[in-house]
Amino acid sequence: MKTEHDGERPGISRRTLLARTGAAAAALAVGPVLGGVQPAMAASWRVPGEDESHRRTWMAWPSSYTIWGNLLSKIQADIAKLAKEVAKYEPVIMCADGSSAASQARTACGSTVTVISSIPVSDCWMRDTGPLFRIDDAGGLDAFGLNFNAWGENATTFYGLPASAYDKDRTVAPKVAAYGGAPFAKASVVGEGGGIEYDGDGTLMATESCWLNGNRNPGKSRSQVEAELLSRFGASKMIWLPGVTGQDVTDGHIDGTARYIRPGVVMVQLAGAVRPDVWTANAQAIRDTLAAATDARGRRLQVLTIEGPDTLPRIQAGKRAEFLSSYMNWAVTNQAIITTQFGDTAKDAAAKSAIAAAYGRPVVQLNLDNLYGNGGGGAHCVTMQEPNR
């Protein structure tokens, strides 16, 4: 096992700076590991890279006024827009919280998106709440969950939301797996799918700020967390990256800054002029760490870079520093990459060209300002792929 370097409600943005709570650092709540932990499966199982073939994409329809307040309809509009785009390239199943929400989602998303009401959801962040699907060489499929605890209970610490607001999302993973006919197990660590990147070929990368955090994995060492993640993902090497603690509700998820394109190739977004200094420095540190890294196969990583936008012309000046201005938080589909555009014409075009060249697939850029701004998450955060086998 190898390791590399050792009017609108303000309270719902997943990346609102902690300063808005009136403290430079918060005492973060500790969430328990959910019960029923099972041993990790055999090493022949692996989570495929996102560039591999998908059976479908899973999403979740937001319908909680407790969480979103008056912004709910705007977030729903962006979720519907994204779901309809993903459905052009692969099937989409949208989980909705009951028959009324399902009816609303069907009207908004149209007939190309399959909406089900049998899996109750609290919110839209399927990347963090859903299961990680695995395959093996014999054509098997199973899944595991990362014991979602509302980002280390930061939803309560940051925004004052009751812990019960996310009760349904804490049980989404096994229900999605069961719908797909996949045996399910719970990992012995707590985290989120957006907090880890995997190439499907033996290598993981993640930020220490998410996983080695007392609000998720109190009392666990880095080696313990690493061993469990490697075993679950069917990987043999972890690249630990610097992160940012206490500046957003996720504690610095990796999927807004660095992503695998394919085994041996990663892309990093260096911050544009609108990002606060803490994120600018962190992006450069992640780039530098990856440039010096090798993967599980001994390959020196090829590190591609793009730059974030320098301006957000559609966003009020006072809200720009909190906006998730990340092209990286894209959704991979079987035939296209779906990301965002921010209205910075030159940077939008450069990012689209670079991502298309890296993947060899068309890139679709959507205006998802409400999701990325008021929601603080993006296309990757609200989608979870189920692989073909």
Side-chain angles (χ1 to χ4, degrees):
M1 187 168 60
K2 306 173 187 176
T3 303
E4 194 74 38
H5 163 299
D6 215 18
E8 293 180 342
R9 288 176 48 132
I12 47 67
S13 171
R14 296 198 329 140
R15 283 177 169 77
T16 298
L17 294 181
L18 192 56
R20 291 176 64 176
T21 69
L28 301 178
V30 174
V33 177
L34 301 184
V37 172
Q38 300 178 24
M41 302 295 284
S44 61
W45 291 84
R46 69 182 180 93
V47 178
E50 293 182 38
D51 61 308
E52 298 183 50
S53 177
H54 301 174
R55 179 185 181 189
R56 55 194 170 195
T57 285
W58 288 85
M59 297 183 68
W61 183 253
S63 58
S64 171
Y65 189 84
T66 298
I67 294 173
W68 289 106
N70 293 330
L71 290 169
L72 181 59
S73 62
K74 295 180 179 180
I75 298 299
Q76 289 173 334
D78 275 6
I79 292 293
K81 182 189 299 185
L82 176 62
K84 288 188 284 188
E85 190 64 35
V86 174
K88 294 177 182 178
Y89 309 105
E90 60 189 64
V92 174
I93 296 183
M94 180 77 71
C95 300
D97 190 23
S99 59
S100 178
S103 177
Q104 184 183 45
R106 290 187 186 104
T107 298
C109 296
S111 60
T112 61
V113 175
T114 299
V115 179
I116 63 173
S117 60
S118 57
I119 301 177
V121 294
S122 302
D123 208 348
C124 57
W125 310 110
M126 185 60 81
R127 177 66 48 182
D128 293 346
T129 64
L132 278 299
F133 290 98
R134 308 192 306 180
I135 60 174
D136 68 6
D137 294 338
L141 178 75
D142 78 355
F144 65 92
L146 292 170
N147 304 303
F148 177 75
N149 72 342
W151 309 282
E153 307 301 343
N154 279 343
T156 297
T157 304
F158 276 37
Y159 313 139
L161 293 173
S164 60
Y166 283 93
D167 279 354
K168 293 171 184 175
D169 280 355
R170 298 170 199 265
T171 64
V172 163
K175 293 173 182 178
V176 169
Y179 188 100
F184 178 83
K186 295 179 181 180
S188 65
V189 294
V190 173
E192 305 86 37
I196 190 163
E197 279 285 306
Y198 41 92
D199 68 354
D201 195 37
T203 310
L204 309 178
M205 61 180 180
T207 57
E208 294 185 348
S209 56
C210 288
W211 295 94
L212 310 183
N213 193 320
N215 63 9
R216 293 172 174 86
N217 294 296
K220 289 187 182 294
S221 67
R222 188 170 79 170
S223 62
Q224 289 173 319
V225 173
E226 177 179 308
E228 174 67 357
L229 291 173
L230 291 176
S231 181
R232 291 290 172 184
F233 279 83
S236 60
K237 182 169 185 178
M238 171 70 83
I239 302 174
W240 285 109
L241 299 169
V244 177
T245 303
Q247 293 294 316
D248 75 337
V249 76
T250 73
D251 291 308
H253 273 183
I254 188 60
D255 66 350
T257 304
R259 302 285 303 278
Y260 276 109
I261 303 296
R262 56 185 174 275
V265 182
V266 297
M267 182 174 281
V268 177
Q269 178 175 309
L270 302 178
V274 295
R275 296 299 281 152
D277 289 346
V278 64
W279 295 108
T280 300
N282 184 247
Q284 186 62 54
I286 286 174
R287 185 265 169 205
D288 292 346
T289 301
L290 290 172
T294 55
D295 66 12
R297 305 289 184 180
R299 294 173 291 219
R300 176 61 63 91
L301 292 177
Q302 179 184 358
V303 182
L304 310 175
T305 59
I306 59 174
E307 294 184 356
D310 291 324
T311 181
L312 298 169
R314 299 188 295 258
I315 307 304
Q316 295 177 19
K319 295 184 177 181
R320 290 172 188 169
E322 300 170 355
F323 193 98
L324 178 62
S325 53
S326 171
Y327 299 110
M328 306 299 298
N329 202 271
W330 58 62
V332 179
T333 74
N334 285 329
Q335 298 173 338
I337 309 301
I338 303 172
T339 186
T340 187
Q341 49 90 354
F342 299 113
D344 182 331
T345 304
K347 288 295 185 72
D348 288 350
K352 181 177 183 179
S353 177
I355 297 167
Y359 272 105
R361 302 182 193 184
V363 172
V364 178
Q365 289 182 306
L366 303 177
N367 177 341
L368 299 171
D369 282 357
N370 284 298
L371 184 63
Y372 280 73
N374 295 314
H380 191 246
C381 296
V382 298
T383 55
M384 177 60 83
Q385 74 283 350
E386 180 181 338
N388 275 318
R389 48 177 166 158

